[in-house]
Amino acid sequence: MAFKGGIHPKYNKITAGSKIEKAGLPGKIVLPMSQHVGKPCEPIVNIGDYVRTGQKIAESDAFVSAPIHSSVSGTVKSVEALPHPITGNPVKSVTIESDGKDDKVEMRERQYENLSNEELKEIIREAGIVGLGGAAFPAHVKLSPPKDKNIDCLLINGAECEPFLTTDHRLMVERADQLLEGIRIIRKILETKDVFIGIEKNKSDAVKLLSEKCKGQNIRVKALHAKYPQGSEKKLIYAVNRRKVPAGGLPMDIGCVVQNVGTCLAVFEAVALSKSLYERVITVTGRVNRPKNILVRIGSSVKEAIEEADNYKGQPKKIIMGGPMMGFALPTDELPVIKGTSGIIVFNKVDMDEKRQEIECIRCGKCVQKCPMHLHPSLLARYAQKGKFGLAEKTFAMDCYECGCCAFICPSHIPLVHWIRYAKSEILRKRVERKKKEKKSKEAKGSEHAEKGRKTGESSEKKESEEEKKEEKQASNVPESGKEKIGAEESNEKPQAAEEYKKEDNPEEDKKE
């Protein structure tokens, strides 16, 4: 099973047979308050406080957010803005110095079979569970679809199509029973009929093992063609059951919810073992002396993770957090591992192919042919280069999920993803500005109506008063013309803000184009 488009890079999954090892306790941890999609958390601890492993140290009042927990026991040393590993921007972070004791909060086994769905979701939310495939979307939000969405299909993402990464593969092989229990919990919450586990064929041991264990449980294992980006939600859904997520839509729109295998395990640990998300499995590979899969504490440094793999092999040239296709280059190895970190990959000078240079687009069309979303990447990049963001939006730039297929295949070495990402950020910025203008326009209009209504009301009252004096014996049937007039005007309001946006969204250069 596969989808149209996509590429076949060298997978280099050299750690596929490497059993998960437990990393040592870090000396200190740094926990950024933004480790998930949604509103960042606010610290609930102060400098000098003693915290235990698994203790909640930050939370948010927003629904789309996830609490953060300490991954060591020790003392809070600072609460300050530090560079975020993904964005590079300063983000409020809590630094905790470990006491080396790993004193954990109470984690007891829980009898969860009779808990209600709402109770299960609350446990998952309190444990800070997010999508561990890389997106870090709060799990409890995905498990709370709107009432008008009929979810009839749960897909478990075991594709792990990014080259080098093998964390999901090892989890499926080593912790299959707990994974399946996590799937049952999620299935209970969503009340879904169909459950599929999608795994690429290059993980044949995982396909075989889970197929055996799923017999008689109404959970079907689907062996998928090994192709990048098979693990993206939209492509996985199409490959498994041929449903298409509409442009700008979500899997929920077609009755599907997708969860990563690591997320399912985290859900099991939260519900069955009362364990919060303070550690995760990552792959440390590339130019290190002993590539491996390790269970690390969240907040430990990338440098410590690389030391677990017996340090760099030669002189490193680039360190990637995540996979080589969608990951992010790190400026230093002093940055922390966060919830969404699936791997650390080290490249040297040879790996980087520094001799290649960007040249002009030769109109070969390979980027169009390989784009799994059927977009026109080179055209979107041109729009971004010329600042024509309105045209980029109309050409579906926001549907790009930056898989990197276009840049990978481009013979001109044009950084297409960079330009499309730039266009998307400008489109989002314009949308925010448009909303602000709409809000301001509505407020101004509301004030104008209120003032008009007040004056109309005063006039009406004066008129009524005069009439009352003149017609003292006919006090009834006084017209309330003020309110009626205001109501009529409101019903005929024109969408002024939308017109303003239309002008803003269609600059002269776009018309010429």
Side-chain angles (χ1 to χ4, degrees), residues 254-284:
I254 54 169
C256 296
V257 167
V258 181
Q259 293 285 2
N260 173 266
V261 294
T263 313
C264 296
L265 270 171
V267 165
F268 165 77
E269 292 180 335
V271 174
L273 308 177
S274 308
K275 181 183 175 184
S276 57
L277 181 59
Y278 63 80
E279 60 184 357
R280 67 156 298 158
V281 179
I282 65 171
T283 301
V284 183

Side-chain angles (χ1 to χ4, degrees), residues 101-389:
K101 298 177 180 176
D102 200 22
D103 178 23
K104 295 176 182 172
V105 297
E106 184 183 2
M107 297 179 196
R108 54 183 172 76
E109 290 189 17
R110 181 187 284 122
Q111 299 300 318
Y112 55 88
E113 289 78 7
N114 296 323
L115 294 179
S116 69
N117 291 347
E118 292 305 317
E119 288 172 323
L120 291 171
K121 283 189 280 188
E122 181 59 21
I123 291 169
I124 293 167
R125 192 195 71 79
E126 269 299 299
I129 309 299
V130 301
L132 297 183
F137 197 84
H140 68 276
V141 179
K142 263 191 177 182
L143 298 177
S144 307
K147 291 182 179 177
D148 61 333
K149 305 292 183 186
N150 178 30
I151 307 301
D152 62 354
C153 181
L154 170 63
L155 280 86
I156 308 304
N157 190 349
E160 199 168 46
C161 58
E162 274 266 13
F164 288 93
L165 303 183
T166 58
T167 58
D168 291 347
H169 184 179
R170 293 311 308 174
L171 288 173
M172 288 187 285
V173 172
E174 297 181 34
R175 302 183 65 183
D177 291 329
Q178 293 176 320
L179 164 64
L180 291 176
E181 195 56 37
I183 293 172
R184 290 187 199 101
I185 293 169
I186 294 172
R187 180 186 205 168
K188 178 180 183 301
I189 294 171
L190 292 172
E191 300 176 351
T192 50
K193 178 184 174 185
D194 295 325
V195 180
F196 298 93
I197 305 176
I199 308 172
E200 285 189 340
K201 288 180 179 175
N202 57 4
K203 304 168 189 63
S204 56
D205 51 351
V207 173
K208 184 179 179 183
L209 177 65
L210 288 176
S211 297
E212 285 292 324
K213 289 184 176 291
C214 289
K215 283 180 180 175
Q217 299 191 41
N218 199 22
I219 299 175
R220 283 171 280 181
V221 176
K222 294 282 187 180
L224 308 171
H225 190 57
K227 187 180 186 182
Y228 181 84
Q230 186 72 269
S232 68
E233 282 192 342
K234 294 178 180 177
K235 300 300 111 182
L236 183 69
I237 292 169
Y238 181 75
V240 171
N241 59 17
R242 290 292 186 265
R243 295 185 190 179
K244 287 185 179 179
V245 180
L250 296 169
M252 286 183 184
D253 296 331
I254 54 169
C256 296
V257 167
V258 181
Q259 293 285 2
N260 173 266
V261 294
T263 313
C264 296
L265 270 171
V267 165
F268 165 77
E269 292 180 335
V271 174
L273 308 177
S274 308
K275 181 183 175 184
S276 57
L277 181 59
Y278 63 80
E279 60 184 357
R280 67 156 298 158
V281 179
I282 65 171
T283 301
V284 183
T285 186
R287 302 294 178 172
V288 294
N289 286 309
R290 200 161 69 88
K292 59 168 64 171
N293 297 299
I294 53 175
L295 179 66
V296 296
R297 298 295 172 95
I298 293 167
S300 56
S301 71
V302 170
K303 184 179 180 181
E304 288 171 310
I306 291 172
E307 286 173 353
E308 290 287 338
D310 289 352
N311 278 313
Y312 296 108
K313 188 177 183 180
Q315 184 66 33
K317 182 66 178 178
K318 181 179 274 189
I319 305 171
I320 303 286
M321 178 174 281
M325 298 300 294
M326 295 186 72
F328 295 86
L330 301 178
T332 170
D333 58 8
E334 297 290 345
L335 294 165
V337 170
I338 57 176
K339 291 180 180 180
T341 304
S342 52
I344 304 293
I345 306 172
V346 180
F347 290 136
N348 65 10
K349 192 175 180 180
V350 177
D351 300 322
M352 297 312 298
D353 189 15
E354 293 180 322
K355 290 182 180 177
R356 72 177 193 179
Q357 290 184 339
E358 179 183 343
I359 60 173
E360 284 190 17
C361 176
I362 58 173
R363 308 291 196 273
C364 65
K366 287 186 177 179
C367 60
V368 180
Q369 184 185 359
K370 298 298 180 182
C371 176
M373 291 303 293
H374 314 301
L375 303 178
H376 200 314
S378 59
L379 183 64
L380 290 172
R382 275 208 302 282
Y383 286 151
Q385 289 166 346
K386 294 179 180 179
K388 297 177 178 178
F389 306 112

Side-chain angles (χ1 to χ4, degrees), residues 453-498:
R454 186 182 64 78
K455 289 179 179 177
T456 307
E458 286 176 354
S459 175
S460 177
E461 286 174 3
K462 188 177 179 181
K463 188 178 178 181
E464 288 172 10
S465 178
E466 289 173 353
E467 285 177 349
E468 282 175 355
K469 288 179 182 177
K470 291 178 181 178
E471 304 173 18
E472 292 178 354
K473 295 181 181 179
Q474 302 176 12
S476 59
N477 299 326
V478 178
E480 296 181 352
S481 56
K483 286 184 180 179
E484 289 170 3
K485 187 175 182 180
I486 294 169
E489 287 182 357
E490 284 179 341
S491 66
N492 292 324
E493 276 187 7
K494 291 181 180 179
Q496 185 178 338

Side-chain angles (χ1 to χ4, degrees), residues 14 226 362 365 497 501:
I14 54 179
I362 58 173
Y501 172 65

